[in-house]
Amino acid sequence: MDQTPNLVLPYIAAAQAQKHVTHNEAIRALDAIVQLSVIDRDLNAPPANSNDGDRYLVAESATGAWASHENQVAAYQDAAWLFYVPKIGWSAWVADEEINVVWNGTEWEATGGSSAPLNPADLIGVNT
């Protein structure tokens, strides 16, 4: 086995040369998908100007650099787009809509099955 079963992170092989490359690949993936917060989920092509670390959920009918990556997490890292295939149960905060969505295996669905915004602050504290 050369990858982890859940996040598909690469293992460092015994006697592997340039171990830092494999290690950095795994760190890059963790940085993109842990505590996932995306800018938008309605774009089907990459924005003209992206900053390192920007993340999006790729919309249907993707084009350009995002072609054939529908519903995946697109992360702009090291001046390139990297894509991560979600697994059932992954959740993401969508900043422009202020909602949390969950991957159900077919689509990114708003938490609770509605498109009503979810304010995480309402879920914290006494009597919540």
Side-chain angles (χ1 to χ4, degrees):
M1 182 179 347
D2 58 350
Q3 296 175 326
T4 63
N6 293 310
L7 295 180
V8 193
L9 301 174
Y11 283 127
I12 296 175
Q16 174 182 333
Q18 297 187 347
K19 290 175 175 29
H20 67 283
V21 174
T22 302
H23 175 76
N24 289 346
E25 180 183 344
I27 295 297
R28 186 179 299 113
L30 287 171
D31 186 60
I33 58 181
V34 172
Q35 298 294 330
L36 184 57
S37 176
V38 299
I39 295 171
D40 198 322
R41 65 175 178 155
D42 299 320
L43 301 179
N44 64 356
N49 297 311
S50 298
N51 295 312
D52 199 40
D54 286 354
R55 296 169 294 179
Y56 296 85
L57 300 179
V58 180
E60 296 297 322
S61 304
T63 62
W66 289 1
S68 76
H69 293 285
E70 287 86 355
N71 294 312
Q72 294 181 16
V73 177
Y76 193 72
Q77 297 173 309
D78 300 328
W81 289 104
L82 299 175
F83 300 94
Y84 301 92
V85 178
K87 293 201 174 209
I88 293 174
W90 280 23
S91 64
W93 177 255
V94 182
D96 75 325
E97 298 176 51
E98 294 187 346
I99 62 169
N100 194 56
V101 295
V102 175
W103 178 246
N104 67 14
T106 306
E107 65 181 343
W108 289 96
E109 181 178 40
T111 302
S114 73
S115 59
L118 172 69
N119 183 347
D122 295 338
L123 303 175
I124 301 170
V126 179
N127 297 325
T128 57

